[in-house]
Amino acid sequence: MEDTTRTALRAVGGLVGAGAAAVAYAALVERTWFTLRRFAVPVLPAGSAPARILQVSDLHLTPGQRKKIEWVRSLAALRPDFVVNSGDNLAHVEAVPPLLRAMEPLMEFPGAFVLGSNDYFGPMPKNPARYLTPDYAKAPKKRSDLPVGELVDGLRAGGWADLNNDRTVVGMGEHRVELVGVNDPHVDYDRYHEVAGPARDDVALTMGLVHAPYQRVLDAMVSDGAGLVLAGHTHGGQLAVPLWGALVTNCDLDTSRAKGVSRWWDGAGSRRDGGPVRPSSDAPHDAAWLHVSAGLGTSPYAPVRFACRPEATLLTLVAQDADAAA
């Protein structure tokens, strides 16, 4: 009996030790182990020259995060044709000046941005147990205001287009690209009806921008002819299971699309009518492409990442007759 008890205690001790090690790794190592993802996406007309988009998202910046700031600044060395900022930049009332410092070298290039809820409202403590429940995706009722006006003024002053419920045409390398964007659906600020309309036929591509990839926005954009949609918000699940993937997305997007490149079409997310979500392998030939960034930060109240490194992404748009690295 004593041997059995000792064996059980050793097993429990091993589990506790492994759990502590995992938490330490997630908080002290992976959370600041920034990486650059690269994908090629075949969305341009046949025979087109490529164009490169740098996407940054979900910095959740606080003033003291110098390593993150310098890493983001270093991305300017990639010399992209265009930069997309997908929102949730702030996690502190004094974070706008350091955020603009991080973006400063990237503003040497054309760009556009949409906002996330954490550009408007400061982070709030949450019960960690809610992370694995549908309640986690709900925006908190008690929220502190962040200086979103100062943020918007700074990004606009850098020459970037404000795509919050707006539509425009920009230059991207050798191409004219139509952008259509919405404010954050996570807090019901999206007003797609204000910018809805068929994709232009005098551009190389119509591209959608949104912070939180809710199905209602993805469906509306691709139904209007967007060939590519860029989003953030999910943190790639933030806590993932190796060889399995994300457990949650913090919105109604399925976990198989929590980060990276996939396909989307109206009907892919059939969970709304009780049917199964359809994977990218079921995509019709004219389905749009979707890229969801796992982002670069975390809430100050959940400063961990596991099996989901913080990231920025360099998307190379290539001709539809080229191979996609996705």
Side-chain angles (χ1 to χ4, degrees):
M1 178 66 73
E2 290 182 0
D3 288 344
T4 301
T5 301
R6 283 196 294 268
T7 299
L9 289 173
R10 283 197 295 268
V12 171
L15 289 173
V16 171
V23 170
Y25 164 79
L28 302 176
V29 178
E30 188 165 325
R31 179 173 63 89
T32 59
W33 190 11
F34 307 116
T35 190
L36 179 71
R37 307 290 185 197
R38 298 174 185 260
F39 296 100
V41 189
V43 290
L44 298 176
S48 294
R52 301 192 309 156
I53 299 175
L54 175 65
Q55 184 183 4
V56 293
S57 189
D58 295 87
L59 272 74
H60 294 277
L61 195 67
T62 60
Q65 294 176 330
R66 291 186 293 273
K67 181 178 180 180
K68 186 188 298 184
I69 292 168
E70 294 306 316
W71 191 86
V72 171
R73 288 176 62 86
S74 74
L75 295 172
L78 297 168
R79 303 202 63 81
D81 296 304
F82 201 82
V83 180
V84 169
N85 181 315
S86 299
D88 269 11
N89 292 278
L90 309 179
H92 192 280
V93 70
E94 297 178 0
V96 172
L99 185 282
L100 295 178
R101 171 172 166 74
M103 295 295 122
E104 180 184 24
L106 302 185
M107 290 179 183
E108 296 178 8
F109 311 100
F113 67 94
V114 290
L115 297 172
S117 61
N118 286 115
D119 295 315
Y120 291 97
F121 309 112
M124 301 289 289
K126 287 186 178 182
N127 182 345
R130 292 179 60 202
Y131 187 77
L132 300 178
T133 73
D135 286 343
Y136 190 83
K138 297 178 181 178
K141 295 180 179 179
K142 295 181 179 179
R143 300 174 289 194
S144 59
D145 292 341
L146 292 174
V148 64
E150 182 184 352
L151 171 66
V152 170
D153 289 346
L155 296 177
R156 287 175 175 171
W160 286 358
D162 181 347
L163 265 292
N164 290 286
N165 300 322
D166 207 349
R167 196 169 191 138
T168 191
V169 174
V170 299
M172 195 174 293
E174 299 179 6
H175 308 286
R176 294 173 72 246
V177 173
E178 181 181 31
L179 302 180
V180 54
V182 293
N183 210 330
D184 190 10
H186 191 57
V187 284
D188 294 324
Y189 284 1
D190 54 308
R191 301 289 183 269
Y192 186 76
H193 64 275
E194 296 179 0
V195 294
R200 294 175 60 136
D201 58 10
D202 61 346
V203 295
L205 171 70
T206 293
M207 184 169 74
L209 304 181
V210 59
H211 174 66
Y214 279 83
Q215 293 181 28
R216 65 177 185 270
V217 175
L218 302 182
D219 287 348
M221 287 180 169
V222 303
S223 293
D224 273 349
L228 172 65
V229 181
L230 305 186
H233 177 72
T234 66
H235 296 192
Q238 190 167 326
L239 302 175
V241 177
L243 304 180
W244 176 271
L247 299 176
V248 296
T249 62
N250 202 18
C251 63
D252 65 358
L253 187 70
D254 60 282
T255 54
S256 70
R257 295 177 170 92
K259 66 176 180 178
V261 173
S262 61
R263 307 299 297 273
W264 191 266
W265 64 101
D266 191 358
S270 56
R271 180 182 298 170
R272 291 168 300 170
D273 58 14
V277 172
R278 298 178 65 185
S280 293
S281 57
D282 287 351
H285 74 279
D286 58 348
W289 293 86
L290 169 67
H291 178 258
V292 179
S293 172
L296 285 160
T298 67
S299 166
Y301 298 105
V304 293
R305 278 184 179 253
F306 190 81
C308 185
R309 288 173 63 183
E311 66 180 38
T313 309
L314 188 66
L315 296 164
T316 301
L317 311 187
V318 298
Q320 294 176 13
D321 51 353
D323 292 330

